[in-house]
Amino acid sequence: MQQKRNIQIIEWEDLDKRKFYSFGVFMTMSIRATVYPATLIRTRLQVQRGRSLYNGTLDALVKIVRNEGVRGLYRGFMVNTFTLISGQAYITTYELVRKYVSLYSEDNTLKSLVAGGSASLVAQSITVPIDVVSQQLMMQGQGGHLTRFRIHAHTQGKDRRAFGPTRSIMGQIFAADGVRGFYRGYVASLLTYIPNSAVWWPFYHFYAEQLSKLAPPDCPHLLLQAVAGPLAATTASTVTNPMDVVRARVQVEGRSSVVDTFKQLVSEEGFWGLTKGLSARILSSAPTAIVMVVGYETLKKLSLRPELVDSRHW
């Protein structure tokens, strides 16, 4: 028998799919534009040796804006927008796997864990090539000396509408490593994001349930979910950050071994090196989680089949 939940979850079969995908693209794009600067800062912090360039998240923000302008915070953003495809693949896989697992188990933690991990596997297979290129673009400017590939001055000044710098980076990656170069760090990405996603969803539902027990009966469920999201994001980010640091270095520096990269990082900077970029990651993931949760739950509410609208407490 299915356990009665305080917060009712809108499942895949409850949705009008046309509305769901139409609203979903807009939501995903808005979230990515909001958090991209923090993602760029996190990448530069993770790749730098020690504190050779920045002394922390705030210092990086100030220096980038001062030396590169606000546009410097959005290096590689246009390329990164192609991850909209992976975003839609992620939510589709998550919802479909939840539905499949529910045929065998009504345990919400199990459904969330399996669906979250599966969704991340599919999404990362699409995202990694885009990340490889966008991270190289992120490292241009102050961080340019930390990457193998550089955009030449004559390329930066022309053909911007045709993604001249992007084509330059892609050409260099292909020339150096072939097609495999676009999947550099794929294993590290899977080792980072599958656990991150698998941890995030169960903790999200767990925190939401615990908050619902503490909150007044008339407290809006959306408010509880908006608080549960960043709590889950902070938990997942802390658990998976060491692998995220390794992933960033593998992709930006062109390394081939996850294990060797991990060993070198620990030998050079100690285990504290595994926390590099954690504050920037939390600053990115926590607000992202609020926007994502509010947006996603609102998206599902707006996408409910008409006959179910009055049956869901909001």
Side-chain angles (χ1 to χ4, degrees), residues 124-135:
Q124 285 306 304
S125 297
I126 301 170
T127 298
V128 168
I130 301 170
D131 271 350
V132 168
V133 177
S134 66
Q135 284 179 335

Side-chain angles (χ1 to χ4, degrees), residues 225-241:
Q225 291 165 325
V227 176
L231 290 175
T234 300
T235 302
S237 294
T238 302
V239 170
T240 62
N241 195 73

Side-chain angles (χ1 to χ4, degrees), residues 14-66:
D14 301 329
L15 300 173
D16 179 327
K17 308 305 186 294
R18 185 168 57 181
K19 291 181 180 178
F20 182 70
Y21 285 113
S22 298
F23 292 135
V25 170
F26 175 77
M27 182 197 77
T28 305
M29 186 66 179
S30 300
I31 292 173
R32 293 193 185 283
T34 302
V35 305
Y36 190 81
T39 302
L40 181 143
I41 291 171
R42 182 191 79 199
T43 300
R44 290 196 182 185
L45 288 173
Q46 290 176 335
V47 173
Q48 72 172 355
R49 289 283 184 267
R51 294 177 178 270
S52 60
L53 199 56
Y54 308 114
N55 292 319
T57 302
L58 182 59
D59 182 58
L61 173 64
V62 172
K63 286 181 178 177
I64 291 171
V65 172
R66 185 175 63 210

Side-chain angles (χ1 to χ4, degrees), residues 19 23 34 47 87 134 154 158 202 261 269 278 292 305:
K19 291 181 180 178
F23 292 135
T34 302
V47 173
S134 66
H154 69 276
K158 68 175 184 179
T261 303
E269 304 186 45
L278 178 59
M292 188 185 81
R305 291 189 285 116

Side-chain angles (χ1 to χ4, degrees), residues 32 130 140 166 198 276:
R32 293 193 185 283
I130 301 170
Q140 303 304 311
T166 302
K276 292 170 77 73

Side-chain angles (χ1 to χ4, degrees), residues 37-288:
T39 302
L40 181 143
I41 291 171
R42 182 191 79 199
T43 300
R44 290 196 182 185
L45 288 173
Q46 290 176 335
V47 173
Q48 72 172 355
R49 289 283 184 267
R51 294 177 178 270
S52 60
L53 199 56
Y54 308 114
N55 292 319
T57 302
L58 182 59
D59 182 58
L61 173 64
V62 172
K63 286 181 178 177
I64 291 171
V65 172
R66 185 175 63 210
N67 294 298
E68 303 174 50
V70 175
R71 290 181 61 180
L73 295 171
Y74 282 89
R75 288 182 181 274
F77 177 70
M78 292 305 295
V79 174
N80 193 261
T81 58
F82 287 101
T83 56
L84 284 172
I85 301 169
S86 65
Q88 299 307 300
Y90 181 94
I91 58 177
T92 300
T93 304
Y94 177 78
E95 295 294 346
L96 287 176
V97 173
R98 272 187 66 89
K99 180 181 178 181
Y100 178 78
V101 176
S102 67
L103 297 175
Y104 302 93
S105 173
E106 288 299 331
D107 186 296
N108 189 52
T109 299
L110 177 63
K111 289 194 290 185
S112 299
L113 190 150
V114 175
S118 301
S120 189
L121 172 62
V122 172
Q124 285 306 304
S125 297
I126 301 170
T127 298
V128 168
I130 301 170
D131 271 350
V132 168
V133 177
S134 66
Q135 284 179 335
Q136 293 294 337
L137 292 168
M138 287 179 189
M139 296 306 297
Q140 303 304 311
Q142 285 179 301
H145 65 285
L146 299 176
T147 177
R148 293 191 301 161
F149 307 115
R150 298 294 302 276
I151 299 173
H152 301 298
H154 69 276
T155 305
Q156 293 181 15
K158 68 175 184 179
D159 204 21
R160 290 186 177 181
R161 291 185 182 179
F163 293 90
T166 302
R167 291 192 297 175
S168 173
I169 289 294
M170 291 178 65
Q172 291 178 64
I173 293 173
F174 184 77
D177 302 316
V179 175
R180 290 181 58 187
F182 294 99
Y183 274 91
R184 188 173 293 281
Y186 179 64
V187 173
S189 292
L190 295 182
L191 292 175
T192 300
Y193 290 112
I194 289 180
N196 186 83
S197 184
V199 168
W200 193 94
W201 286 102
F203 269 105
Y204 165 60
H205 292 301
F206 169 77
Y207 287 133
E209 289 297 325
Q210 298 307 308
L211 289 168
S212 72
K213 295 175 183 177
L214 300 174
D218 59 345
C219 183
H221 286 178
L222 187 60
L223 177 61
L224 300 178
Q225 291 165 325
V227 176
L231 290 175
T234 300
T235 302
S237 294
T238 302
V239 170
T240 62
N241 195 73
M243 202 64 235
D244 194 42
V245 177
V246 174
R247 175 196 61 81
R249 293 204 170 190
V250 167
Q251 291 180 332
V252 173
E253 296 178 355
R255 296 175 177 273
S256 58
S257 172
V258 171
V259 175
D260 289 346
T261 303
F262 177 84
K263 288 180 178 179
Q264 183 177 357
L265 175 62
V266 172
S267 66
E268 290 180 353
E269 304 186 45
F271 283 99
W272 282 108
L274 300 174
T275 67
K276 292 170 77 73
L278 178 59
S279 60
R281 193 174 181 208
I282 291 175
L283 287 173
S284 169
S285 63
T288 302

